[in-house]
Amino acid sequence: MSDIRSICVYCGSGAGENPAYADAARRFGALLADNDVRLVYGGGGLGLMGTVARAVLESGGEVLGIIPEFLKSREHMLRDVQDLIVTEDMHHRKRLMFENADAFVALPGGIGTLEELVEMLTWGQLGQHTKPVIIANIDGFWEPLLGLLNEMEREGFIRPGLMATYQVASEAEDILPLIHAELDRRKDGSDNGALIGKL
Ligand code: AMP
């Protein structure tokens, strides 16, 4: 099985209305800790971001928070993590989150989460990385985005040579197995990296 050391989780700085989101964030945080996978995240203490980070810490896991200076108080920077990096700006934050992770997971969230997820999809599409990107479609939260991606493919905007490579998980428990399977497939060479999310 592939070795995954760090996973970057993008998720809301709010909790969302559906309690299933926080529940999934908590369960995924505990799973990261149980599997000795470090959480890399945006460093905040609010919403799903705070929930996933606290769940990792409560289960004895390791967390790297990366937050820009101007958000330290606004997003209630979590101080009791093992590693904390304060960056000058958002661009540096995103770059470091990217560099420090072996895979990316988007739990439910807002515009920030969407932007970070889409950026990883575009970088992958342009061949800038081959790290797995998992869309955690908890209670169908990401259905509208999956529909739009499907539409882009139908309309020929996402097309051979410019494929969007991602996997869709419906439960927190599906995420790590999907990442392992994806990494194993790439290692075997049985997939040439053109794996497309099931739309
Ligand atoms: P949100 O999903 O909007 O609650 O935001 C989740 C996280 O993404 C927060 O830490 C935001 O600071 C961050 N964020 C907001 N806007 C952006 C952006 N344009 N690029 C990257 N991260 C962002």
Side-chain angles (χ1 to χ4, degrees):
M1 207 194 264
S2 299
D3 185 29
I4 311 171
R5 281 166 300 152
S6 295
I7 290 181
C8 176
V9 174
Y10 302 125
C11 59
S13 56
E17 293 294 325
N18 183 343
Y21 306 152
D23 189 48
R26 248 188 311 272
R27 289 186 352 240
F28 187 55
L31 281 166
L32 287 176
D34 292 348
N35 286 277
D36 289 327
V37 177
R38 180 179 67 157
L39 170 71
V40 177
Y41 88 118
L46 300 175
L48 299 186
M49 294 173 70
T51 301
V52 69
R54 280 189 206 91
V56 173
L57 295 171
E58 279 160 18
S59 297
E62 206 184 315
V63 176
L64 165 60
I66 305 178
I67 193 163
E69 179 69 42
F70 79 98
L71 285 179
K72 275 168 61 181
S73 65
R74 198 196 300 177
E75 293 197 348
H76 294 213
M77 181 177 80
L78 211 59
R79 293 178 184 277
D80 50 356
V81 298
Q82 289 84 357
D83 293 297
L84 190 57
I85 300 176
V86 178
T87 64
E88 263 178 39
D89 55 37
M90 295 292 268
H91 288 296
H92 193 210
R93 175 204 223 183
K94 287 197 289 186
R95 180 91 218 164
L96 289 181
M97 288 169 81
F98 167 73
E99 286 174 359
N100 279 282
D102 304 312
F104 308 96
V105 174
L107 290 171
I111 297 172
T113 304
L114 178 65
E115 202 268 357
E116 291 165 318
L117 164 62
V118 169
E119 185 165 63
M120 284 310 111
L121 293 176
T122 57
W123 289 7
Q125 186 183 46
L126 297 173
Q128 298 302 291
H129 76 85
T130 55
K131 299 178 183 182
V133 178
I134 309 295
I135 299 178
N137 191 26
I138 308 301
D139 251 9
F141 175 81
W142 290 112
E143 283 307 320
L145 176 68
L146 296 173
L148 180 60
L149 291 169
N150 196 12
E151 185 65 14
M152 289 172 177
E153 194 178 353
R154 261 201 310 268
E155 291 291 338
F157 293 112
I158 293 177
R159 56 192 187 277
L162 278 178
M163 291 311 248
T165 305
Y166 59 89
Q167 301 277 297
V168 181
S170 4
E171 300 280 349
E173 287 69 22
D174 299 337
I175 299 171
L176 285 177
L178 267 178
I179 294 175
H180 277 297
E182 177 62 4
L183 288 173
D184 287 346
R185 231 189 324 262
R186 289 173 190 195
K187 213 162 53 185
D188 292 350
S190 53
D191 186 282
N192 59 9
L195 187 78
I196 302 301
K198 286 278 163 281
L199 298 177

